Amino acid sequence: QWRETNSTDMVAGIGTGTADMANIAGSLATLEEIASYNSNGETTGEVLSTFLYDNNGYGYVGMNAATMNVGGDPGSAASKNLRKGFATLFAVYRDICCDSYYGDAAKVIQYPISDASWGAPKETDDGYSLAYSVDVDGNPIYTSDMTDEQRFDAALQAAIGFFQAAGYTWDDATGTFTAAPEGAQMAYEVIIPANGGEDHPAYLLCEYVRSALETIGITLTINNPSDSNQMWTTIDARTHNMYTAAFSFGGSPDPDCYDRYYSGEIDSGNNNNAISDPTLDELLLNGRISADQSYRRAIYKEALDIVRDWAVEVPYYQRQNIYVYSTERVNVDTITPDITTFWDWQHDLEKLEMN
């Protein structure tokens, strides 16, 4: 049985028998709802069965270099330090917020690319590093024995260093910033497409960062419009500062990110963060003219390092999608046993049987 329905009704639909299967975005609440139908309290049992796989996309916090810079020069060291101040704080709260919203249905990533892609940097790769984990002098911000609170405080101190390097005026007496450098601001806005509610993976993240910035005299306004389309209207007009979103590569296994970061795409509606770097442009073009996967992986790793240095994107999460089936009505043994991002049960449709 196939039905068109709201995503919030999908699990109940399968559990009560009005549908036999669904493809659902993973979250902690969704996994808990699925488990509630099975007597074993697990996500796979006598009523419902689940198959999890990586989504071919990722969540992130975007920053518009055209509106977040110093002296009108988005690519200057001062402008990058301005954005790195924000990026450092967003980065430190990712783990606690991702776990709170997704549980086991997502993980924090360090590069702006889907972890399902063959082009994604791996921990074993040379030069792999955690996103925004060094201070303005290039020294590690964290140690392995730090508690969460110590990490939060260390990130705040590092952010202060970045803002000072960007030219913000610091008052030792009050422990706050009192003035912004030319072209920068004391207050910025981040847009969350949560339709005015709190059900969004970045909602808590933005609240944490807003509270931290408030202690040092910088204002972060959270804009959570009742119609999430308003965010994209603002982005299309290129008047935005920061925003939270997710990017999808669709069904393509290719990690080409030309549209998102090539400078010629700024006015086309694709390069939302206004990154414009000639070295990056050359890398993106070179990545398109070779079929050598090893060469292209190296090319894209270098390109992603430049994107991180510009601090126009804070990679946040790699979530999982869920296929949920009725164990009672669908012969689970006839479903593709090792579903992946690029191969699911629909590729083996001729094998599917009902009980």
Side-chain angles (χ1 to χ4, degrees):
Q1 299 185 73
W2 288 91
R3 292 177 181 269
E4 183 176 352
T5 186
N6 294 326
S7 59
T8 54
D9 298 329
M10 287 183 177
V11 175
I14 303 169
T16 58
T18 59
D20 293 317
M21 59 182 68
N23 185 204
I24 307 173
S27 72
L28 182 60
T30 299
L31 293 175
E32 290 176 346
E33 184 182 6
I34 293 170
S36 71
Y37 282 90
N38 296 322
S39 61
N40 62 5
E42 303 292 334
T43 55
T44 292
E46 81 282 8
V47 178
L48 299 181
S49 294
T50 61
F51 297 81
L52 278 71
Y53 63 97
D54 284 341
N55 181 53
N56 193 23
Y58 66 97
Y60 66 95
V61 178
M63 301 189 202
N64 182 4
T67 62
M68 296 184 67
N69 62 68
V70 176
D73 183 1
S76 70
S79 295
K80 291 178 181 179
N81 285 330
L82 161 63
R83 297 188 294 269
K84 285 177 181 177
F86 287 98
T88 299
L89 289 175
F90 277 112
V92 74
Y93 291 109
R94 293 177 303 166
D95 288 292
I96 190 172
C97 295
C98 182
D99 185 62
S100 173
Y101 188 86
Y102 282 113
D104 294 333
K107 63 181 178 182
V108 170
I109 57 173
Q110 308 303 330
Y111 289 86
I113 186 173
S114 171
D115 213 40
S117 171
W118 56 259
K122 307 301 180 186
E123 291 186 37
T124 54
D125 292 347
D126 289 339
Y128 181 93
S129 63
L130 302 181
Y132 306 107
S133 60
V134 297
D135 64 19
V136 70
D137 297 317
N139 300 313
I141 299 173
Y142 314 108
T143 59
S144 59
D145 59 346
M146 281 183 171
T147 64
D148 283 344
E149 291 302 323
Q150 288 172 331
R151 287 173 60 83
F152 300 157
D153 183 65
L156 183 61
Q157 297 308 311
I160 290 172
F162 281 118
F163 288 130
Q164 288 176 321
Y168 279 79
T169 303
W170 176 257
D171 181 14
D172 281 324
T174 61
T176 60
F177 289 104
T178 58
E182 179 190 356
Q185 305 171 37
M186 291 295 292
Y188 286 97
E189 177 186 84
V190 59
I191 311 175
I192 306 176
N195 295 315
E198 299 180 8
D199 185 15
H200 192 277
Y203 181 84
L204 185 60
L205 179 67
C206 291
E207 285 288 356
Y208 269 119
V209 175
R210 181 195 61 76
S211 296
L213 288 167
E214 187 177 40
T215 66
I216 58 174
I218 294 178
T219 299
L220 179 65
T221 300
I222 299 175
N223 181 0
N224 185 3
S226 57
D227 180 0
S228 62
N229 289 320
Q230 292 180 25
M231 182 184 81
W232 295 110
T233 300
T234 303
I235 290 174
D236 288 342
R238 294 296 188 261
T239 59
H240 62 294
N241 297 149
M242 290 171 271
Y243 64 102
T244 64
F247 177 78
S248 173
F249 289 90
S252 173
D254 196 280
D256 180 24
C257 48
Y258 172 93
D259 289 348
R260 305 192 65 220
Y261 304 128
Y262 189 71
S263 60
E265 294 292 312
I266 292 177
D267 296 326
S268 71
N270 291 321
N271 186 343
N272 294 330
N273 303 327
I275 184 171
S276 178
D277 187 294
T279 303
L280 176 60
D281 284 348
E282 183 178 2
L283 290 169
L284 294 175
L285 290 172
N286 289 339
R288 287 188 148 194
I289 61 176
S290 174
D292 186 331
Q293 196 171 95
S294 296
Y295 170 76
R296 294 185 73 203
R297 281 195 82 240
I299 285 286
Y300 289 131
K301 169 62 168 59
E302 191 174 348
L304 295 175
D305 282 338
I306 292 175
V307 174
R308 289 205 320 188
D309 181 57
W310 268 68
V312 291
E313 246 185 70
V314 181
Y316 182 12
Y317 60 84
Q318 168 72 62
R319 70 169 172 83
Q320 291 188 304
N321 290 330
I322 307 173
Y323 278 115
V324 187
Y325 304 86
S326 167
T327 313
E328 299 171 317
R329 299 183 298 280
V330 179
N331 183 348
V332 178
D333 292 335
T334 65
I335 298 171
T336 302
D338 298 309
I339 288 176
T340 72
T341 307
F342 306 108
W343 190 276
D344 61 28
W345 66 272
Q346 295 173 83
H347 290 85
D348 298 314
L349 184 61
E350 73 282 3
K351 300 177 182 179
L352 187 64
E353 297 177 2
M354 302 299 288
N355 288 330

